[in-house]
Each structure stands twice: as structure tokens, then as C-alpha cells.
Amino acid sequence: MRTFGVEEELLIVDPVTGEPLALADALLAGSDQPTEAGTGLSHELKLEQIETQTRPCHTYSELLPQIRRGRAMANDAARKHNARVAAIATSPLASNTHTTPDPRYAVMLERFGLTAHEQLTCGFHVHTSVESPEEGVVVLDHIRDKLAVLTAISANSPYWRGLPTGFDSYRIQAWNRWPTSGPSAVFGSLTAYRRMVKRLLETGVLLDEGMIYFDARISRNHPTVEVRVADVCLRSEDAALIAVLVRALVETASLEMLDGVEPASVPTALLRMASWQASNVGLRGDLLDFGDFRPQPAAEVVWALVDYLSPVLDDQGELELVKAGISDILERGNGAHEQREAAVRFSNRQRGGHAAAGSPPTAEALGAVVGHAVKMTMRGASAAAHKDAAAHKDAAPTLTRVRRP
């Protein structure tokens, strides 16, 4: 069974107001994390966020406590500075951002201006092992047309700098300002992939290969395919579920290669449209079906993905787990839905049960959204942290390097 691991970017927030706090340096300097347990913390582009990493895992039941332990580790470090962490993909509240002191980041800020200045977004990246870079490129070519569905399921960023955006994943909109972000074309071979990366670097637009921001790419630091389309998930169990789906996509792609199945030659423009639609409506309306790229109810498209992956999921003993998890998400909504519901609940309490229709949420309501996010981020995290640390006290640390954004 292929191993998989994840990276989560979390916001550091004021537990009272919900505003982002530029404390990453302080959290990392004062963290007494037990690195022998295999997870770690690192900087991201902005000091208002911090990244957690898991070690490679084999199962959902192994990965979930790793995710929760990373969240607990980050939150424990934040509490020492009267702060908390929130698994929320954009800040609901407007605030100034502060770039992490680093020569490379300073150049990015100067080179990319407002795009870099405003880039306070938190994603969820899934690494799945591949046998070789050649197999990795085959995987990229086969999974590219299904990735937008993961955006819709994970969407967790309906607010941006104090405003409702009308999007379920506004992070996608903000992130896609970068010059190489978004879907990529079919490469066909590792040689073609390397040639494309080389040509992009030769334009002089990018600083380095770390700025190859494709929706999915070959990892520079690990023998993995890295899928980067998901928002950080409010709930840790949803994050682990997304990771299971990604691994199933990778395994299915590899099996299709062995069976001689060619990747779907979907134009990149259609993939961008599917990504935009998923970012916009999440699970609330129609998504573009990954078969014919015509609109279908979101639930039908999500279940079509599960059906497509079901042979691999069944073989790996994960099919019933995935069906239960997807049913739960479709019933209660994704993170964006939960955020909006938290704002409505607060507004109703403030107005005696009658929130003004159509009025934007107040700063206090958005602070309540962050408060809800903090609570959901930490659900189950403390118990998992203690259990996982004890179970893996002799494990070697992995995936703890500072990853460039």
C-alpha cells in the first residue's frame, strides 16, 4: 500500500477577536515539540500562519491522529503567547499581514507586489508515494481532470478580509494570482515535464523551482506526487478523508497506466473552469462533471468520484469509510457552510433570533466564525496527541523541513 502524508497550513489567531497574529517566529522559537514523534512545525510565507507536517502513513486510522497531533502541537505553542490556531483557509477578518523574515520571501514581496502582500491563505497538501518520477508524471496526467472535486469537498474560505466573498473557496481565487498556479496540461513524459519546468524558469518570471505551483506536481524533496488543490479542512477527519481520496486517485492512475489507459485529453481551459466553479459553489450547486464537463448537482459529481475510485478503495479496505465520510460531509456541508452557519448563529443571538436578511456579518460575527473554527480545529486533537506520541516515541522524524510556499 502506498504511503501518504500531509502538510496543513493553520492561521494563528487572537482567541477573543479572531484576528490573525504575526507570531510564527515566537511559536517556533518557544516550541518544545517532541520531534521524535515524527511531526513538525515550520514557517510559511506569512508570520500569521504556521505549517504542520505528518510522517508518511499507511492508513486513515494512522494518519488521522497524526493530523490531530500536529494541530495540538501548534495550538500548544500558540497558547504560550495567548493565541490559538484555526484550520481556516482565509482570514474572515481584515488585518495587516507580515512576511516571514527571509531573503527569498523579501524578494517575492518586492517582485510580486500585492499578490505576495495579501497571500494569507492556508492550503492542505497531500503527498503520496510513487515508485519513480516517471510514474509520478503518469499520475499527474491521469488525475488532473478530477482534482476540482476535492476543492469543492474541502472548501473552507467564504470570507476574505472582513467581507463575504460569495465563494466557498476564495483561497483558490487568491492563490491563482500566482503565475504558475492552477491546472496543468498533459505532459506525456518526465522529459516533457522537466522541459516545461525548465522553460518556465527560463522566462525569468519565477524566482526558482519552488514557485512551480501546479495543482499537482512532483515533489522536489520527497519521492511523492503532491496534490495542492484543497483548502485546509476545518475538521481533521475531513482532512484525512481527502488524503485517502488523493491516494486512491494516485493508485488508480498507476493501474490505468498498467492497463494501457490513456489520460483524458481535457483542455486546460475546461479544467480551469471546473476549478473556478468548485471554488465558487463548493457543494451548494452544480459542479462540472469530470466525464463530460457539463454541470451536474454537486452530490452526484462527488459520488461519481467515489464510484470511480471504488475498486481501489475497496481493495484497500477504505470504501465504507469513504462512503460514510462523504455522506457526513454532504449532509452537514463543507467548512464554508459551517463558517456561514456560525456567523448566522452569532447574528441571531445578537438580534434576538432575527438576523437582518442580506446584511454582511459584523466583525464580531466574523470573530465568532474564527472561534468556531478554533473549536473544530482542536476537536479530538489533545487526546490524539498524547496517544500518538506514546505510540511512536521512537519513530524517526520526517517531513519536518521548512517547505517553500
Side-chain angles (χ1 to χ4, degrees):
M1 184 178 290
R2 295 177 189 270
T3 58
F4 59 160
V6 306
E7 300 163 331
E8 287 199 300
E9 297 161 356
L10 306 172
L11 278 184
I12 306 166
V13 298
D14 185 306
V16 177
T17 67
E19 294 177 352
L21 299 174
L23 290 174
D25 275 347
L27 267 59
L28 290 168
S31 175
D32 55 357
Q33 54 175 297
T35 56
E36 67 271 17
T39 54
L41 305 178
S42 64
H43 282 103
E44 259 299 333
L45 177 63
K46 297 296 181 178
L47 288 173
E48 289 82 4
Q49 59 189 155
I50 195 162
E51 182 185 89
T52 72
Q53 305 98 19
T54 73
R55 66 173 175 274
C57 298
H58 291 88
T59 64
Y60 172 95
S61 60
E62 183 183 356
L63 179 64
L64 178 58
Q66 282 269 311
I67 292 171
R68 287 175 167 167
R69 183 179 181 279
R71 294 181 176 204
M73 183 189 302
N75 198 60
D76 288 348
R79 290 179 69 94
K80 296 175 183 177
H81 301 274
N82 299 316
R84 301 292 188 274
V85 296
I88 194 167
T90 57
S91 172
L93 290 147
S95 70
N96 293 323
T97 64
H98 302 79
T99 302
T100 299
D102 179 283
R104 181 174 180 270
Y105 293 156
V107 174
M108 288 177 68
L109 192 62
E110 180 179 2
R111 174 72 177 85
F112 296 98
L114 195 62
T115 293
H117 179 76
E118 289 189 345
Q119 198 58 235
L120 182 57
T121 61
C122 294
F124 177 70
H125 302 161
V126 183
H127 287 261
T128 304
S129 64
V130 289
E131 293 185 3
S132 66
E134 288 81 4
E135 184 190 37
V137 173
V138 170
V139 167
L140 298 184
D141 289 350
H142 279 259
I143 70 176
R144 59 194 283 273
D145 53 329
K146 292 96 177 172
L147 296 180
V149 186
L150 303 181
T151 297
I153 297 170
S154 67
N156 186 29
S157 46
Y159 300 108
W160 176 258
R161 300 175 66 84
L163 296 172
T165 65
F167 287 80
D168 268 26
S169 174
Y170 194 72
R171 181 193 70 87
I172 290 289
Q173 302 300 312
W175 181 254
N176 281 349
R177 299 178 192 178
W178 294 109
T180 61
S181 61
S184 54
V186 172
F187 296 107
S189 68
L190 178 62
T191 299
Y193 179 86
R194 294 299 186 198
R195 184 185 305 119
M196 175 58 72
V197 171
K198 183 174 183 291
R199 291 292 304 276
L200 289 171
L201 294 174
E202 287 173 348
T203 65
V205 174
L206 311 179
L207 300 188
D208 50 40
E209 191 174 343
M211 292 193 70
I212 301 296
Y213 292 152
F214 301 151
D215 282 350
R217 67 185 184 183
I218 305 299
S219 174
R220 293 182 299 152
N221 301 311
H222 306 287
T224 64
V225 163
E226 180 186 8
V227 173
R228 304 161 51 81
V229 295
D231 281 5
V232 68
C233 295
L234 203 58
R235 298 167 179 251
S236 54
E237 59 267 31
D238 293 353
L241 179 68
I242 293 288
V244 166
L245 292 174
V246 170
R247 181 172 62 176
L249 277 169
V250 172
E251 180 64 16
T252 300
S254 181
L255 292 174
E256 288 180 344
M257 173 191 70
L258 294 175
D259 289 340
V261 178
E262 294 294 324
S265 56
V266 182
T268 305
L270 274 180
L271 299 186
R272 288 190 176 277
M273 195 74 72
S275 175
W276 191 95
Q277 181 70 356
S279 165
N280 183 219
V281 306
L283 300 174
R284 294 175 294 150
D286 288 347
L287 298 175
L288 299 191
D289 182 84
F290 57 86
D292 59 15
F293 284 82
R294 290 184 171 86
Q296 297 291 340
E300 292 185 15
V301 177
V302 171
W303 283 119
L305 180 66
V306 175
D307 289 343
Y308 167 73
L309 298 174
S310 61
V312 163
L313 291 171
D314 190 38
D315 185 60
Q316 296 180 341
E318 297 168 331
L319 182 56
E320 295 308 313
L321 178 153
V322 166
K323 286 182 176 179
I326 291 296
S327 294
D328 189 34
I329 293 172
L330 291 174
E331 181 178 352
R332 61 172 155 79
N334 56 20
H337 177 79
E338 284 202 57
Q339 287 192 46
R340 293 189 182 104
E341 288 293 300
V344 169
R345 285 196 302 271
F346 179 87
S347 298
N348 283 340
R349 288 196 300 270
Q350 295 299 105
R351 297 186 173 101
H354 301 285
S359 59
T362 63
E364 291 76 15
L366 294 177
V369 169
V370 178
H372 175 75
V374 169
K375 178 180 177 181
M376 299 312 299
T377 299
M378 296 307 299
R379 196 175 71 157
S382 296
H386 293 304
K387 181 178 179 181
D388 186 70
H392 300 96
K393 62 181 180 179
D394 297 322
T398 55
L399 290 181
T400 56
R401 77 284 180 277
V402 175
R403 184 182 59 77
R404 300 305 188 187

PDB file of all heavy atoms in Angstrom, residues 308-326:
ATOM      1  N   TYR A 308     -15.799   5.995  -9.145  1.00  0.00           N
ATOM      2  CA  TYR A 308     -14.620   5.820  -9.991  1.00  0.00           C
ATOM      3  C   TYR A 308     -13.465   5.209  -9.197  1.00  0.00           C
ATOM      4  O   TYR A 308     -12.722   4.370  -9.704  1.00  0.00           O
ATOM      5  CB  TYR A 308     -14.222   7.179 -10.562  1.00  0.00           C
ATOM      6  CG  TYR A 308     -12.871   7.238 -11.211  1.00  0.00           C
ATOM      7  CD1 TYR A 308     -12.631   6.643 -12.445  1.00  0.00           C
ATOM      8  CD2 TYR A 308     -11.817   7.918 -10.594  1.00  0.00           C
ATOM      9  CE1 TYR A 308     -11.378   6.707 -13.039  1.00  0.00           C
ATOM     10  CE2 TYR A 308     -10.564   7.980 -11.181  1.00  0.00           C
ATOM     11  CZ  TYR A 308     -10.351   7.381 -12.402  1.00  0.00           C
ATOM     12  OH  TYR A 308      -9.111   7.439 -12.982  1.00  0.00           O
ATOM     13  N   LEU A 309     -13.335   5.616  -7.941  1.00  0.00           N
ATOM     14  CA  LEU A 309     -12.231   5.139  -7.102  1.00  0.00           C
ATOM     15  C   LEU A 309     -12.576   3.875  -6.323  1.00  0.00           C
ATOM     16  O   LEU A 309     -11.707   3.323  -5.638  1.00  0.00           O
ATOM     17  CB  LEU A 309     -11.832   6.242  -6.109  1.00  0.00           C
ATOM     18  CG  LEU A 309     -11.313   7.550  -6.714  1.00  0.00           C
ATOM     19  CD1 LEU A 309     -11.095   8.584  -5.607  1.00  0.00           C
ATOM     20  CD2 LEU A 309     -10.024   7.315  -7.487  1.00  0.00           C
ATOM     21  N   SER A 310     -13.817   3.405  -6.412  1.00  0.00           N
ATOM     22  CA  SER A 310     -14.269   2.329  -5.526  1.00  0.00           C
ATOM     23  C   SER A 310     -13.474   1.029  -5.656  1.00  0.00           C
ATOM     24  O   SER A 310     -13.252   0.359  -4.635  1.00  0.00           O
ATOM     25  CB  SER A 310     -15.769   2.066  -5.731  1.00  0.00           C
ATOM     26  OG  SER A 310     -16.032   1.671  -7.059  1.00  0.00           O
ATOM     27  N   PRO A 311     -13.008   0.620  -6.845  1.00  0.00           N
ATOM     28  CA  PRO A 311     -12.215  -0.627  -6.864  1.00  0.00           C
ATOM     29  C   PRO A 311     -10.967  -0.547  -6.000  1.00  0.00           C
ATOM     30  O   PRO A 311     -10.658  -1.485  -5.244  1.00  0.00           O
ATOM     31  CB  PRO A 311     -11.872  -0.791  -8.352  1.00  0.00           C
ATOM     32  CG  PRO A 311     -12.963  -0.095  -9.079  1.00  0.00           C
ATOM     33  CD  PRO A 311     -13.283   1.101  -8.214  1.00  0.00           C
ATOM     34  N   VAL A 312     -10.246   0.558  -6.101  1.00  0.00           N
ATOM     35  CA  VAL A 312      -9.041   0.723  -5.285  1.00  0.00           C
ATOM     36  C   VAL A 312      -9.399   0.890  -3.813  1.00  0.00           C
ATOM     37  O   VAL A 312      -8.773   0.297  -2.930  1.00  0.00           O
ATOM     38  CB  VAL A 312      -8.208   1.916  -5.788  1.00  0.00           C
ATOM     39  CG1 VAL A 312      -7.193   2.360  -4.742  1.00  0.00           C
ATOM     40  CG2 VAL A 312      -7.495   1.548  -7.082  1.00  0.00           C
ATOM     41  N   LEU A 313     -10.410   1.709  -3.531  1.00  0.00           N
ATOM     42  CA  LEU A 313     -10.814   1.916  -2.137  1.00  0.00           C
ATOM     43  C   LEU A 313     -11.257   0.600  -1.501  1.00  0.00           C
ATOM     44  O   LEU A 313     -10.942   0.322  -0.335  1.00  0.00           O
ATOM     45  CB  LEU A 313     -11.947   2.946  -2.069  1.00  0.00           C
ATOM     46  CG  LEU A 313     -11.569   4.380  -2.420  1.00  0.00           C
ATOM     47  CD1 LEU A 313     -12.821   5.250  -2.538  1.00  0.00           C
ATOM     48  CD2 LEU A 313     -10.627   4.966  -1.366  1.00  0.00           C
ATOM     49  N   ASP A 314     -11.991  -0.205  -2.247  1.00  0.00           N
ATOM     50  CA  ASP A 314     -12.446  -1.491  -1.723  1.00  0.00           C
ATOM     51  C   ASP A 314     -11.265  -2.419  -1.480  1.00  0.00           C
ATOM     52  O   ASP A 314     -11.182  -3.093  -0.442  1.00  0.00           O
ATOM     53  CB  ASP A 314     -13.427  -2.118  -2.709  1.00  0.00           C
ATOM     54  CG  ASP A 314     -14.133  -3.330  -2.135  1.00  0.00           C
ATOM     55  OD1 ASP A 314     -14.469  -3.318  -0.932  1.00  0.00           O
ATOM     56  OD2 ASP A 314     -14.337  -4.301  -2.878  1.00  0.00           O
ATOM     57  N   ASP A 315     -10.337  -2.444  -2.416  1.00  0.00           N
ATOM     58  CA  ASP A 315      -9.161  -3.301  -2.285  1.00  0.00           C
ATOM     59  C   ASP A 315      -8.333  -2.919  -1.063  1.00  0.00           C
ATOM     60  O   ASP A 315      -7.726  -3.782  -0.416  1.00  0.00           O
ATOM     61  CB  ASP A 315      -8.314  -3.204  -3.553  1.00  0.00           C
ATOM     62  CG  ASP A 315      -7.130  -4.158  -3.525  1.00  0.00           C
ATOM     63  OD1 ASP A 315      -7.352  -5.374  -3.417  1.00  0.00           O
ATOM     64  OD2 ASP A 315      -5.980  -3.675  -3.608  1.00  0.00           O
ATOM     65  N   GLN A 316      -8.307  -1.628  -0.742  1.00  0.00           N
ATOM     66  CA  GLN A 316      -7.523  -1.154   0.387  1.00  0.00           C
ATOM     67  C   GLN A 316      -8.327  -1.116   1.687  1.00  0.00           C
ATOM     68  O   GLN A 316      -7.824  -0.656   2.712  1.00  0.00           O
ATOM     69  CB  GLN A 316      -6.957   0.229   0.074  1.00  0.00           C
ATOM     70  CG  GLN A 316      -5.979   0.206  -1.092  1.00  0.00           C
ATOM     71  CD  GLN A 316      -5.400   1.562  -1.419  1.00  0.00           C
ATOM     72  OE1 GLN A 316      -5.947   2.601  -1.031  1.00  0.00           O
ATOM     73  NE2 GLN A 316      -4.281   1.579  -2.126  1.00  0.00           N
ATOM     74  N   GLY A 317      -9.574  -1.580   1.644  1.00  0.00           N
ATOM     75  CA  GLY A 317     -10.403  -1.625   2.845  1.00  0.00           C
ATOM     76  C   GLY A 317     -10.897  -0.262   3.308  1.00  0.00           C
ATOM     77  O   GLY A 317     -11.224  -0.089   4.489  1.00  0.00           O
ATOM     78  N   GLU A 318     -10.995   0.682   2.380  1.00  0.00           N
ATOM     79  CA  GLU A 318     -11.353   2.056   2.741  1.00  0.00           C
ATOM     80  C   GLU A 318     -12.688   2.508   2.154  1.00  0.00           C
ATOM     81  O   GLU A 318     -13.114   3.636   2.402  1.00  0.00           O
ATOM     82  CB  GLU A 318     -10.258   3.023   2.274  1.00  0.00           C
ATOM     83  CG  GLU A 318      -8.907   2.779   2.933  1.00  0.00           C
ATOM     84  CD  GLU A 318      -7.767   3.538   2.254  1.00  0.00           C
ATOM     85  OE1 GLU A 318      -7.864   3.793   1.031  1.00  0.00           O
ATOM     86  OE2 GLU A 318      -6.781   3.855   2.943  1.00  0.00           O
ATOM     87  N   LEU A 319     -13.359   1.653   1.393  1.00  0.00           N
ATOM     88  CA  LEU A 319     -14.555   2.099   0.682  1.00  0.00           C
ATOM     89  C   LEU A 319     -15.670   2.504   1.641  1.00  0.00           C
ATOM     90  O   LEU A 319     -16.282   3.569   1.479  1.00  0.00           O
ATOM     91  CB  LEU A 319     -15.041   1.003  -0.270  1.00  0.00           C
ATOM     92  CG  LEU A 319     -16.268   1.352  -1.118  1.00  0.00           C
ATOM     93  CD1 LEU A 319     -16.029   2.617  -1.934  1.00  0.00           C
ATOM     94  CD2 LEU A 319     -16.631   0.185  -2.029  1.00  0.00           C
ATOM     95  N   GLU A 320     -15.967   1.684   2.615  1.00  0.00           N
ATOM     96  CA  GLU A 320     -17.057   2.016   3.541  1.00  0.00           C
ATOM     97  C   GLU A 320     -16.708   3.254   4.360  1.00  0.00           C
ATOM     98  O   GLU A 320     -17.576   4.089   4.654  1.00  0.00           O
ATOM     99  CB  GLU A 320     -17.360   0.829   4.452  1.00  0.00           C
ATOM    100  CG  GLU A 320     -17.908  -0.382   3.699  1.00  0.00           C
ATOM    101  CD  GLU A 320     -19.097  -0.012   2.806  1.00  0.00           C
ATOM    102  OE1 GLU A 320     -20.003   0.696   3.301  1.00  0.00           O
ATOM    103  OE2 GLU A 320     -19.106  -0.431   1.638  1.00  0.00           O
ATOM    104  N   LEU A 321     -15.461   3.387   4.739  1.00  0.00           N
ATOM    105  CA  LEU A 321     -15.006   4.576   5.469  1.00  0.00           C
ATOM    106  C   LEU A 321     -15.246   5.827   4.634  1.00  0.00           C
ATOM    107  O   LEU A 321     -15.759   6.844   5.135  1.00  0.00           O
ATOM    108  CB  LEU A 321     -13.526   4.421   5.806  1.00  0.00           C
ATOM    109  CG  LEU A 321     -12.783   5.532   6.528  1.00  0.00           C
ATOM    110  CD1 LEU A 321     -11.615   4.930   7.303  1.00  0.00           C
ATOM    111  CD2 LEU A 321     -12.242   6.598   5.575  1.00  0.00           C
ATOM    112  N   VAL A 322     -14.889   5.768   3.352  1.00  0.00           N
ATOM    113  CA  VAL A 322     -15.062   6.922   2.470  1.00  0.00           C
ATOM    114  C   VAL A 322     -16.544   7.219   2.261  1.00  0.00           C
ATOM    115  O   VAL A 322     -16.969   8.385   2.300  1.00  0.00           O
ATOM    116  CB  VAL A 322     -14.350   6.687   1.121  1.00  0.00           C
ATOM    117  CG1 VAL A 322     -14.798   7.713   0.082  1.00  0.00           C
ATOM    118  CG2 VAL A 322     -12.840   6.748   1.307  1.00  0.00           C
ATOM    119  N   LYS A 323     -17.338   6.193   2.044  1.00  0.00           N
ATOM    120  CA  LYS A 323     -18.775   6.426   1.858  1.00  0.00           C
ATOM    121  C   LYS A 323     -19.397   7.104   3.075  1.00  0.00           C
ATOM    122  O   LYS A 323     -20.205   8.030   2.946  1.00  0.00           O
ATOM    123  CB  LYS A 323     -19.482   5.094   1.586  1.00  0.00           C
ATOM    124  CG  LYS A 323     -19.240   4.534   0.197  1.00  0.00           C
ATOM    125  CD  LYS A 323     -20.015   3.224   0.002  1.00  0.00           C
ATOM    126  CE  LYS A 323     -19.869   2.698  -1.418  1.00  0.00           C
ATOM    127  NZ  LYS A 323     -20.599   1.414  -1.609  1.00  0.00           N
ATOM    128  N   ALA A 324     -19.010   6.645   4.260  1.00  0.00           N
ATOM    129  CA  ALA A 324     -19.546   7.255   5.482  1.00  0.00           C
ATOM    130  C   ALA A 324     -19.078   8.703   5.615  1.00  0.00           C
ATOM    131  O   ALA A 324     -19.863   9.593   5.969  1.00  0.00           O
ATOM    132  CB  ALA A 324     -19.125   6.440   6.698  1.00  0.00           C
ATOM    133  N   GLY A 325     -17.790   8.946   5.330  1.00  0.00           N
ATOM    134  CA  GLY A 325     -17.268  10.302   5.444  1.00  0.00           C
ATOM    135  C   GLY A 325     -17.893  11.258   4.449  1.00  0.00           C
ATOM    136  O   GLY A 325     -18.240  12.401   4.782  1.00  0.00           O
ATOM    137  N   ILE A 326     -18.054  10.812   3.202  1.00  0.00           N
ATOM    138  CA  ILE A 326     -18.674  11.662   2.180  1.00  0.00           C
ATOM    139  C   ILE A 326     -20.135  11.929   2.525  1.00  0.00           C
ATOM    140  O   ILE A 326     -20.626  13.063   2.386  1.00  0.00           O
ATOM    141  CB  ILE A 326     -18.550  11.004   0.795  1.00  0.00           C
ATOM    142  CG1 ILE A 326     -17.088  11.009   0.327  1.00  0.00           C
ATOM    143  CG2 ILE A 326     -19.442  11.709  -0.224  1.00  0.00           C
ATOM    144  CD1 ILE A 326     -16.500  12.387   0.119  1.00  0.00           C
TER     145      ILE A 326
END
